[in-house]
Amino acid sequence: MPNLNECYRTLELRTGASLEEVSQAYKDLVFIWHPDRIPQSRERLQQKAIAKLQDLNEARDYLQSYLQRRQNLRSARRPAQKAAAAGQARAASSPAAAAGQARAASSPAPAKTTRRTAPPRTSQPSQERQSPAAKKFRQRTKATQPPASSAPKAPKAAPAQPKPSQPPAATSSPPDSAAKRAAKRWRTGRAAAPAKTAPAATKSASRPLTPDHSGVDWQGADLQERDFSGRNLSQANLANTNLKDAFLHKVNLSGANLTNANLTRANLLQANLTQANLRGANLTGADLSGADLRGADFTGASMGIGKKVMVKLTGARLSGAIMPNGTIHT
C-alpha cells in the first residue's frame, strides 16, 4: 500500500509538490514508460513498462485525491475564519463596548467594610443575682433529673459506604494528520472499487475502443494534453489546432487537415497519417515511431531547431511523403 512519500518518489518529485507539478510529472513519465514505445519482441521490457505504468497511475491517483481534499478543506475553512475575525472587529469597535470599558476603568474599587460582632448575651442570670427561693427550686429540679449516663444514646450513624471508583476518563487519542486521513479514505475507496481483473469483453462493451470522430471540425481548438488514443479522426479539420503534449498513439488521422497545427511533443506512436495535410505544422519533439506517413504532406513543417531534427521516426513508413523541403521520400 503506497504512502505519501512513496508516491512522490515514484513520480520523481520532492515532498510537498503541488497538484500541477504532480500532473506534469505523471505525463512526462508516462510518455517515457508507455508500453507502446517498446517493441513487442522485448517481452522483459514490456512487462517492466507495464508495471511502471501501474505504479505511476496509483501514485498519481493517490496524490491527486490527497491534494484535492486538502485544497477543499482550506477553502472551506477560509470563510469561517474571515467571519470570526470580522465579528471580533465589530464587537471591539462598537460604541457600547467602548463605553463599558471606559466605565470599568473609571469606577473606583468598592471599599471593604468590617462588621463587628457583639458578644453573646447570656439568657440566665448570674448566681449572685438569684434569690434564695430560686436557688432552692433549682436544687430540687436537679435532684429529680436522671443521671446523664442513663439518657438514651443516639444510634450511631452507619459508616459511609465507599463510592465505587469510576473508571478513568478515556483519553482522547490525538487527531490523525491530513496524510493519515487521506490514506484511510484512499484505502477505503480502493477496497470498495471493483477488481481490475474484469474480462476484456466487459471493458469493450462499456467503452468503444475506437470512438468515431471522423469529419469533425475542430479548427483552432485548444486540445493541449488531451487523450485521443485509438480514436477515428479521419478527414477531420484540425487546422491551427493546439495539440501540444497530446496523446495520439494509434489514432486514425488519414486525410485529416492539420495545417499549421501545434503538435509539439505529441505522442503519435503507430498513428495513421496517410494522405494527411501537415503543411506548416510544428512537430518539434513529436514521436512518430511506427506511424504510417505514406502520402502525407509535410511542406514547411517544423521538425527541429535549425538543422537538428527533433522528431522520432523509428519504424515510420514514409514512402510518397512530401518532406518539409518539398522533396518526395521514396
Side-chain angles (χ1 to χ4, degrees), residues 38-216:
I38 301 172
Q40 297 292 333
S41 58
R42 308 294 295 274
E43 295 183 2
R44 185 182 65 82
L45 292 179
Q46 280 276 340
Q47 295 298 326
K48 186 176 180 180
I50 291 172
K52 182 67 175 179
L53 192 61
Q54 291 176 352
D55 293 341
L56 292 174
N57 288 333
E58 290 184 358
R60 191 271 308 268
D61 294 342
Y62 178 82
L63 288 175
Q64 281 184 343
S65 176
Y66 163 69
L67 293 173
Q68 189 63 44
R69 287 189 175 92
R70 189 176 68 174
Q71 186 175 356
N72 293 339
L73 286 174
R74 287 180 177 176
S75 59
R77 290 173 183 168
R78 213 168 281 129
Q81 293 175 351
K82 289 183 178 179
Q88 292 178 358
R90 286 195 302 269
S93 61
S94 62
Q101 293 177 357
R103 286 195 302 270
S106 61
S107 60
K112 294 183 179 180
T113 58
T114 56
R115 183 178 296 177
R116 296 181 179 180
T117 56
R121 297 180 180 181
T122 55
S123 58
Q124 294 181 357
S126 61
Q127 295 290 334
E128 293 77 5
R129 296 181 182 181
Q130 292 180 0
S131 61
K135 289 180 179 180
K136 292 180 181 180
F137 177 77
R138 287 179 59 83
Q139 290 176 358
R140 287 197 301 270
T141 305
K142 288 181 178 180
T144 57
Q145 289 181 352
S149 60
S150 63
K153 296 181 180 180
K156 294 182 179 180
Q161 296 292 335
K163 294 183 179 180
S165 60
Q166 297 180 354
T171 58
S172 59
S173 59
D176 291 338
S177 63
K180 290 183 179 181
R181 293 195 299 270
K184 289 180 181 179
R185 289 192 293 267
W186 185 83
R187 286 195 293 267
T188 306
R190 294 282 294 179
K196 291 185 177 180
T197 58
T202 305
K203 293 182 179 179
S204 61
S206 60
R207 177 185 175 186
L209 295 178
T210 55
D212 190 3
H213 298 299
S214 58
V216 296

Side-chain angles (χ1 to χ4, degrees), residues 174-285:
D176 291 338
S177 63
K180 290 183 179 181
R181 293 195 299 270
K184 289 180 181 179
R185 289 192 293 267
W186 185 83
R187 286 195 293 267
T188 306
R190 294 282 294 179
K196 291 185 177 180
T197 58
T202 305
K203 293 182 179 179
S204 61
S206 60
R207 177 185 175 186
L209 295 178
T210 55
D212 190 3
H213 298 299
S214 58
V216 296
D217 186 2
W218 289 342
Q219 180 176 357
D222 185 6
L223 304 176
Q224 181 175 344
E225 300 181 358
R226 296 286 294 274
D227 187 357
F228 295 103
S229 303
R231 302 195 182 187
N232 182 16
L233 290 166
S234 60
Q235 307 298 325
N237 183 12
L238 299 171
N240 301 306
T241 302
N242 183 15
L243 289 165
K244 182 180 178 181
D245 294 314
F247 288 89
L248 300 166
H249 61 280
K250 294 184 179 180
V251 69
N252 183 7
L253 286 166
S254 60
N257 181 14
L258 290 160
T259 306
N260 297 323
N262 184 8
L263 292 164
T264 305
R265 295 191 302 273
N267 183 355
L268 288 156
L269 283 165
Q270 303 177 12
N272 182 5
L273 287 161
T274 56
Q275 306 298 325
N277 184 2
L278 290 156
R279 286 174 172 266
N282 186 3
L283 292 163
T284 305

